[in-house]
Amino acid sequence: MKVGIVGLGFRLGYLATVLNEADKDFEIVGYVDPAPAGMPGLEEAGILAGTSYATPQDLIAAGGFDLLMIGSPNHMHLDHIRLGLEAGLTVFTEKPIVVTMEETYALASLLHTYGHDRLLVGLVLRYSPLYRDLRKAQAEGKLGDVVSIEASEHIQPYHGAFFMRDWRRYGQYAGGFMLEKCCHDLDLYNGLVGTRPRYVASFGGRKSFTPANAPQNEGINDLEVYHRKPSGWMGSDKVFDSDGDIVDYQTAIVEYENGVSMTFHTNLNVPDEFRRFCVIGSKGMAEGDFVRGFFNVHSARTNEKTVANTYQAPSASSHHYGADEQMIDDVIAFMRDSTAQPVSAINALEAGILALAMDEARFGRKVIDLAPVWEKFDACLNGTESATLARSA
């Protein structure tokens, strides 16, 4: 498979190495990025990056590739997706695919015009073995009706410090931390519940990465703890005095259209990190942790443990608990014979809407009713909303 890349950052640089291992015909025809942070990884893997182009328009005009891959900063995604769809290309974009409600409506209108099957999205956790086993247990009736969910995504201080130093520290570029980092998780639980979120409340802020908490002659190697993960575009060395506007903790409460409730918590300063869930149903309870690699199901009738699985990534260098490899296999299968994917661009937009609503609720200290948002979103998807949205965003 031949690809063109817009935004050759760390993420697409890594995915290119996975693609190279999975497809003997893989080739990067060209890329657009004034400072390609993912280039060293490609060079280490012996992968040629192809021709450097000044603009996405130049890359698309040159052609010669099967798949356009977008890994540019989040606020650029909509324009780059639009260029690909208008050119008749199949597009793969990293999450989140847009950063505002207005962009969400604009992309929904584009999907109505060009079809959502031509836009693949990197919500990689849908491909993880653990989540697939959770959905299997649900399909087998082990949980019964889902009643409530407790879930979290917590990351270590070195990773939190990366967000304080990278371009993702600015909401105008990233869309906020819930959208940038946690849209994976929100998508999983949206899929599990099977209906859309209706009401959202949320609270949070920054309490860990503040000047008062900066190390003061404590024998801590700052380069190892807080600068281990390199920052890219608009990078900064400031961690505890970051000029960013993102949170370092947030809690949200969600009620879905079918009455299922969920609490979701994120924190960027957790030394023993975990990314876990507890799904309580009418007939059973499922617990799992992507980081610690386990999945258990208990029967509500007998207390018996009916599922007890453990997981290990396929290699020490594998990202996302081994899910990247499965995602790339599925992308290749789609390009060869249009094999259905486990996650769609519409799923990604729905998860993004929930994340954006969480921040709106946090900023306004209010409960958000998403009913009017879904009404407008569906109108855009169905082509009944003004087509000027897609042109003016």
Side-chain angles (χ1 to χ4, degrees):
M1 178 169 58
K2 293 178 171 58
V3 306
I5 294 178
V6 177
L8 182 52
F10 295 118
R11 176 62 180 158
L12 286 198
Y14 170 73
L15 285 184
T17 66
V18 180
L19 264 165
N20 188 59
E21 293 176 0
D23 182 0
K24 63 181 178 59
D25 297 321
F26 172 71
E27 178 186 349
I28 301 175
V29 171
Y31 70 93
V32 179
D33 196 318
M39 188 68 76
L42 294 183
E43 293 173 346
E44 184 178 343
I47 301 171
L48 299 176
T51 303
S52 173
Y53 292 92
T55 68
Q57 291 89 337
D58 292 340
L59 171 66
I60 291 171
F65 54 88
D66 309 301
L67 178 68
L68 178 66
M69 300 187 74
I70 296 173
S72 50
N74 303 345
H75 70 293
M76 301 178 182
H77 286 181
L78 178 61
D79 285 341
H80 295 160
I81 290 168
R82 180 191 289 112
L83 288 171
L85 293 178
E86 288 177 345
L89 298 170
T90 299
V91 178
F92 172 94
T93 182
E94 261 304 313
K95 58 78 195 166
I97 50 181
V98 291
V99 297
T100 66
M101 289 291 190
E102 290 73 20
E103 288 188 353
T104 299
Y105 299 138
L107 183 51
S109 293
L110 283 171
L111 296 181
H112 168 75
T113 301
Y114 296 104
H116 63 82
D117 290 342
R118 283 175 41 213
L119 179 59
L120 311 178
V121 62
L123 282 173
V124 67
L125 287 192
R126 283 262 190 158
Y127 299 83
S128 65
L130 194 162
Y131 184 67
R132 293 187 176 200
D133 286 345
L134 171 60
R135 294 306 303 270
K136 180 174 181 287
Q138 181 185 28
E140 291 173 348
K142 288 183 169 65
L143 307 182
D145 295 328
V146 175
V147 176
S148 60
I149 301 171
E150 178 185 289
S152 61
E153 181 183 9
H154 296 156
I155 62 176
Q156 290 188 46
Y158 85 89
H159 202 172
F162 161 77
F163 279 96
M164 294 298 151
R165 295 184 292 105
D166 192 59
W167 59 265
R168 295 167 177 84
R169 69 188 183 273
Y170 300 121
Q172 63 179 315
Y173 300 133
F177 184 79
M178 274 290 186
L179 180 67
E180 156 61 27
K181 188 71 173 74
C182 302
C183 63
H184 280 307
D185 306 78
L186 302 180
D187 169 63
L188 297 186
Y189 307 121
N190 283 354
L192 186 75
V193 173
T195 62
R196 289 168 166 172
R198 174 67 189 273
Y199 298 104
V200 183
S202 187
F203 305 92
R206 193 189 303 180
K207 288 184 175 294
S208 294
F209 290 102
T210 63
N213 290 322
Q216 301 292 333
N217 301 318
E218 298 172 14
I220 295 173
N221 185 342
D222 283 5
L223 291 177
E224 170 60 22
V225 179
Y226 299 115
H227 296 264
R228 181 193 315 174
K229 188 175 174 68
S231 58
W233 176 61
M234 297 192 71
S236 168
D237 289 333
K238 295 184 176 182
V239 176
F240 293 89
D241 53 349
S242 169
D243 63 348
D245 53 20
I246 63 168
V247 299
D248 61 23
Y249 74 98
Q250 190 168 343
T251 304
I253 305 170
V254 181
E255 182 177 76
Y256 285 83
E257 291 174 342
N258 61 357
V260 172
S261 67
M262 176 175 74
T263 60
F264 186 83
H265 179 225
T266 188
N267 192 296
L268 284 65
N269 193 45
V270 180
D272 188 10
E273 69 180 5
F274 52 92
R275 192 175 197 171
R276 67 189 181 198
F277 59 82
C278 179
V279 178
I280 302 172
S282 57
K283 295 182 179 179
M285 179 178 76
E287 296 176 275
D289 191 318
F290 292 93
V291 173
R292 298 174 183 179
F294 74 86
F295 175 58
N296 297 326
V297 178
H298 284 81
S299 168
R301 306 287 194 264
T302 65
N303 291 344
E304 175 189 3
K305 184 183 287 188
T306 59
V307 177
N309 294 347
T310 58
Y311 306 87
Q312 186 172 357
S315 72
S317 61
S318 179
H319 296 184
H320 293 110
Y321 332 111
D324 281 309
E325 290 81 356
Q326 184 60 60
M327 180 180 74
I328 289 303
D329 286 345
D330 281 17
V331 169
I332 293 171
F334 178 86
M335 296 301 295
R336 287 176 177 167
D337 55 25
S338 300
T339 301
Q341 304 291 286
V343 63
S344 70
I346 294 174
N347 296 144
L349 289 172
E350 290 174 339
I353 286 171
L354 176 54
L356 291 167
M358 288 176 175
D359 275 344
E360 183 183 352
R362 178 173 64 85
F363 290 138
R365 291 185 172 272
K366 59 185 178 181
V367 176
I368 304 299
D369 181 355
L370 285 172
V373 173
W374 297 127
E375 182 179 0
K376 187 171 183 178
F377 178 67
D378 287 336
C380 292
L381 283 176
N382 296 328
T384 55
E385 183 72 18
S386 172
T388 58
L389 281 167
R391 294 194 295 269
S392 63

